[in-house]
Amino acid sequence: MALILIVDDSPTEVHVMQKALERHGYQTASAGDGAEAIRKAKEMKPDLIFMDVVMPGVNGFQATRKLASDPDTKAIPVIMVTSKDQETDRIWGMRQGAKDYLVKPVSMEKLIEKAQAALAG
């Protein structure tokens, strides 16, 4: 069973995503900021990470860059899920190592679809 790490500083956002993913048979874990995300990714080795961008401390771009450059975590696909909807943000996110970029609000169908695609390899 795939483990998905949800990184967002909004407990509501995390809860909604966890419910949708768990309904589709995924295990989930969560982190409230980039630093915690990096730590949990190293510990838990999730199969996929949904990463918010705007968070206190280490932001999603920084965390994604760190995960993508670390041999322990670089194989884990990261999908940015953010309210930052500019094309420049999307390009920057992909440059940091993200596999995909979703703009909030994200429909749960879209979330599941992206999870399935990322996990299929």
Side-chain angles (χ1 to χ4, degrees), residues 56-106:
V58 178
N59 72 35
F61 289 143
Q62 294 164 320
T64 300
R65 183 169 57 239
K66 223 172 176 48
L67 291 168
S69 64
D70 186 322
D72 284 346
T73 53
K74 70 176 185 204
I76 305 168
V78 175
I79 298 177
M80 317 247 36
V81 183
T82 177
S83 52
K84 293 177 79 63
D85 62 354
Q86 299 300 305
E87 183 63 11
T88 50
D89 293 319
R90 192 187 73 75
I91 291 166
W92 184 244
M94 301 305 272
R95 276 210 191 122
Q96 304 315 303
K99 298 280 179 268
D100 211 332
Y101 193 97
L102 299 173
V103 176
K104 294 175 184 176
V106 178

Side-chain angles (χ1 to χ4, degrees), residues 23-38:
R23 257 203 314 274
H24 283 80
Y26 298 110
Q27 283 184 303
T28 63
S30 66
D33 60 53
E36 187 184 358
I38 293 163

Side-chain angles (χ1 to χ4, degrees), residues 8-21:
D8 200 308
D9 59 337
S10 158
T12 308
E13 202 72 43
V14 169
H15 180 77
V16 169
M17 289 169 74
Q18 279 183 318
K19 284 279 162 266
L21 291 163

